[in-house]
Amino acid sequence: MHVRHAAIALAAVATFGCATPGAVARTRHAARTHRLSPPHASVSPLALEAPSTRGTVAGAADATTGCTSPPPVRVTPYIHCYTPADIASHYGVSALHDAGTMGQGQTIVLVDAYGSPTAKADLQTFHDTFYPGLPDPDFTADYPFGAPDYKTSTSQGVSGPSAAAGWAGEVTLDLEWAYAMAPRAHIVMLAVPPAETLGVQGFPNLFKAMSAAIDRYPAGTVFSQSFGVSEETFGGAAATQTAKFDAVYRKAAAKGDTVLASSGDDGTLGTSKQHKESTTYGHPTVGWPASSPYVTAVGGTQLQKGWTWNPTSDIPFTAAGDYNPSYWAFTPGGEQDVVWNESWLPAATGGGQSSIYARPGYQDSVADVVGAQRGIPDLAWDAAVNGGVLVYTSFYPDTNRVGWHIYGGTSSSSPQVAGLVALGNQRQAAKPGGKPLGFLNPLIYSVGSGPAFTDVVPVTEGTALSGRLDDNQDWDYNGDGVAVTKDPVTGNPTTGGYDMTTGFGVPNAAAFVSALGAARDATP
């Protein structure tokens, strides 16, 4: 039995229910976390939060400091964090902002369960901290089936009210970081109150809400989904069930809307429903809805900006539970995106071949990589926790610390790319007869490798095995004071050009919106 260090995925869950042949037992070590579920077998938010309960201190910075937050100041050893200015400068978004392109006239819809009772206030704090010179956020809380009662508990339940805190963290991350990229856009929190049996009640509610939002909001609306299930969760009815939901995505594409989804946080691992979702399949899996050919799948990188990891040990934490400096060591300087695969969590970018969908025509140019099946992701963005983004939260103060937190996961990637697409749509709207970017995938594959993307290639950092960042094969956390080891389920290699860990790479913002805009303009 493998022990996983559950470093903080905030997760609520729902399931369609299925048999789980070939599942392997797994448990998670949660000493430094408030993770509510293992890798997603079911409808789970894909946010990951850096540890707050150990090793994180309020005090003076020193040579081990990875992050110093805005007030109320919190100094975090080893784990690095980024502000909107950091991310915008690295990916070139700041050039668009400086030119006046901040999302004016555009709408971004973040699709989540439950929502957050403090969403508006927390977004305002984020604005006041990072964008005080701009107008207040244009924010709407959209509860098409009525607002939930926001009960929460310390229960280890995988759905229902006990999951509300996990979803609140997800929602807050989504809102603040879609806003960070497009601070003048209309930001919509689309939230539904799922029932306890989410596979029966929750997904249909989410998609009814999305369908109504497609009708309600203007053409060119960008939808971001930071949740997912393993494709195997659908069981033998996969084609029938996903076809119903794909009809909503096709409706969005026909209207000129864009739909994005996080590719997942567990590499190629998929979790079954057995034993309260504590088992994983013994073969590679991918997540849905990211695998839908009508959705743009956003994978994950680790942005190392101003630091370069230099591990000489594969033991993340000592037997006493403290950070092991030999694992966390870094050298100042450097700036690059590497494939996201953090062995200490463990977590890695989702990616691989779909078991439901055949290869769509727009992926024929990468058939040598994806084979006969739909391959994901299509592109990538920073998703790391060590190298995560700052998020302000104040929900459920009895059980959750109020203040700044470091979040990661591909659910951080998707809303940020949504913000970038909104900037592209603003540029499109300024053209005479300009059309919104809409369904991105044919555009992305027509552009392919080139100036629109920075390719993510394999790298080796330090001397430890964990520093070989060249695939999305997940790790097993074997306990404090013990080295991590590669999980037996194989991953996909990170290569030059398109691959099933980071797609074509990370966008170069200005070139990305220009190239996709030109491709859209050339489309009849």
Side-chain angles (χ1 to χ4, degrees), residues 11-16 42-45 111-116 142-151 158-168 171 190-209 227 396:
V13 286
T15 186
F16 289 88
S42 45
V43 186
S44 305
V111 185
D112 291 291
Y114 290 106
S116 168
D142 188 343
Y143 296 104
F145 307 121
D149 58 11
Y150 289 119
K151 291 179 181 177
V158 295
S159 66
S162 65
W167 281 105
V171 169
L190 183 63
V192 301
E196 285 290 332
T197 311
L198 280 172
V200 177
Q201 301 286 340
F203 250 162
N205 276 351
L206 282 168
F207 280 84
K208 287 177 185 177
F227 55 82
Y396 308 121

Side-chain angles (χ1 to χ4, degrees), residues 223-479:
F223 291 84
S224 176
Q225 306 165 105
S226 295
F227 55 82
V229 302
S230 298
E231 284 188 331
E232 278 77 355
T233 306
F234 291 101
T240 300
Q241 293 202 55
T242 57
K244 295 176 182 178
F245 301 133
D246 284 339
V248 176
Y249 297 141
R250 292 198 302 271
K251 175 181 174 181
K255 174 170 163 273
D257 292 346
T258 298
V259 182
L260 306 167
S262 307
S263 73
D265 297 347
D266 297 291
T268 55
L269 286 180
T271 308
S272 78
K273 180 64 177 173
Q274 289 182 347
H275 305 110
K276 209 172 185 178
E277 304 197 340
S278 62
T279 59
T280 58
Y281 296 99
H283 59 270
T285 65
V286 297
W288 190 93
S291 64
S292 170
Y294 307 104
V295 168
T296 299
V298 185
T301 65
Q302 181 182 46
L303 171 57
Q304 298 178 17
K305 179 178 171 66
W307 61 280
T308 301
W309 193 30
N310 187 30
T312 57
S313 170
D314 288 308
I315 302 174
F317 298 96
T318 68
D322 298 321
Y323 289 95
N324 176 14
S326 297
Y327 176 92
W328 294 95
F330 61 90
T331 57
E335 184 168 346
Q336 64 176 336
D337 283 270
V338 299
V339 64
W340 179 43
N341 196 337
E342 294 185 80
S343 60
W344 69 279
L345 279 164
T349 178
Q353 292 174 304
S354 171
S355 62
I356 298 175
Y357 301 102
R359 186 184 71 241
Y362 58 74
Q363 284 197 310
D364 286 350
S365 60
V366 294
D368 58 326
V369 179
V370 303
Q373 302 302 115
R374 160 74 164 136
I376 63 169
D378 301 302
L379 73 171
W381 193 274
D382 180 42
V385 176
N386 184 11
V389 295
L390 285 163
V391 176
Y392 183 86
T393 73
S394 62
F395 53 78
Y396 308 121
D398 290 344
T399 55
N400 295 270
R401 177 176 59 80
V402 173
W404 294 97
H405 302 254
I406 306 171
Y407 274 74
T410 53
S411 62
S412 175
S413 311
S414 181
Q416 292 183 70
V417 174
L420 177 58
V421 175
L423 303 185
N425 282 341
Q426 181 184 348
R427 287 285 183 94
Q428 288 296 104
K431 300 175 181 178
K435 298 172 287 187
L437 295 176
F439 181 34
L440 296 185
N441 291 6
L443 309 182
I444 289 172
Y445 287 85
S446 70
V447 170
S449 299
F453 295 98
T454 295
D455 193 14
V456 178
V457 297
V459 301
T460 297
E461 297 182 323
T463 58
L465 184 60
S466 295
R468 291 181 56 183
L469 300 170
D470 57 7
D471 62 29
N472 70 337
Q473 183 177 359
D474 210 352
W475 292 78
D476 290 324
Y477 190 88
N478 300 306

